[in-house]
Amino acid sequence: NGLYNVGDEINISGNIVVSQDTNGFASFVLQCANGNVEFYKAPVILKSGQQKTVELSTYLETFVIGNLSGSCNIDFSYAGDSRQTRTFEISKEITVNLNLNSILFNPGENVFVSGNAVKKNGQSLNGFAEVSITSIGVHSLVSVIEGKFSSNISLPNDLAAGNQDITVRAYEKNSDGNVLNEGFASSSIKVSQVPKSVKVALNRESFVPGDEVTYTLIVYDQSGKEMSVSVNANIASPNNIAIDK
C-alpha cells in the first residue's frame, strides 16, 4: 500500500538468510521526512544456512509513530545489513465536502448542512463533524457515519444582515480521545435585512392648527440597525379620517 492514514494497520515482513552462525537484533525503523522511530526490535539467533522471516502487524497510532507523517519508508536491519521498503505516505488528511439547503436566509430560519468526509486513503470516515458559525458562537457536533453527516443550525432572530461563514471540521479519534485525522471545509450564506420596527420622528413635539408638520420615518432591521426601504405612511385625524399619504 502506498498511502496510509494515521491509525491504519500496516503489515511488514523481512526475510533473513545467513551463511554463517549469526547473533543480532532484527529491527524495523519507520523513516519519514520529519523524523524516525524504531517500532520493533528483537534478538534473532541463526545457524549457518538458516533463514527466518520476521513479520510485524501494527497500527500507525500516535503512541507508535508520534507526529511522523509525509513521505516515509521502513528500514529492516539485522546484524549490520539493512533493506528499505518502497516509499509510502502517511497522512492525517480528510477531504470534506459540504452542501447547504440554500445560500440566502432570513433571520430565525434553519440552515441545513450536509456533506461527506473521506480519508486520504479512500476510506469513508466514521467520526465526528463540528459545524460552526464562529462569528456568532454557534456550534453543532454531529456524528459522521460511513462518511455522511448532517446538521440543522437555527439562525438567531436578531442576526445582523450580511455574509456569514460556515465551517465544518471533520475528525477521527482513537480510544484515548486523541485526534488522529482531520479535515476542513467552508462555505458562506447571506442573511437578509428584514424590517422589524418603525419610529416616527417629528420636527417638534407640539403643534397648533395651521402649522406645517415635518416627519421622518426611521425603519429598523432585525438587529436594530437603520435601513433604507420604501414605506407607505397613512395620516389620519383623531376621528380616523384619512388626511394624507
Side-chain angles (χ1 to χ4, degrees), residues 26-175:
S27 171
F28 287 113
V29 176
L30 176 64
Q31 302 179 139
C32 300
N34 61 339
N36 304 326
V37 62
E38 182 179 58
F39 54 82
Y40 177 88
K41 187 174 184 179
V44 175
I45 301 173
L46 295 174
K47 297 295 184 179
S48 177
Q50 281 188 315
Q51 67 177 30
K52 180 179 180 62
T53 298
V54 180
E55 297 181 333
L56 175 66
S57 178
T58 189
Y59 290 88
L60 298 174
E61 286 272 7
T62 52
F63 82 92
V64 176
I65 67 173
N67 291 319
L68 296 184
S69 62
S71 180
C72 305
N73 64 37
I74 293 174
D75 179 85
F76 175 60
S77 63
Y78 174 71
D81 192 17
S82 66
R83 296 289 186 274
Q84 288 79 39
T85 66
R86 71 182 188 276
T87 299
F88 57 89
E89 181 182 356
I90 299 176
S91 174
K92 300 178 181 180
E93 295 179 23
I94 296 173
T95 299
V96 184
N97 295 299
L98 68 89
N99 303 296
L100 305 174
N101 59 323
S102 179
I103 58 172
L104 183 63
F105 295 88
N106 288 326
E109 289 186 335
N110 289 332
V111 182
F112 183 71
V113 182
S114 62
N116 60 76
V118 180
K119 295 191 288 185
K120 194 170 184 180
N121 63 9
Q123 296 177 0
S124 296
L125 175 68
N126 286 293
F128 304 92
E130 184 178 89
V131 184
S132 306
I133 306 179
T134 306
S135 61
I136 57 175
V138 174
H139 304 277
S140 172
L141 183 63
V142 296
S143 296
V144 182
I145 301 173
E146 294 298 323
K148 306 292 185 181
F149 65 88
S150 63
S151 175
N152 244 330
I153 294 181
S154 296
L155 299 177
N157 291 319
D158 59 353
L159 180 60
N163 294 327
Q164 297 287 343
D165 292 329
I166 295 180
T167 61
V168 175
R169 174 190 177 232
Y171 59 93
E172 178 183 36
K173 298 193 296 185
N174 63 12
S175 58

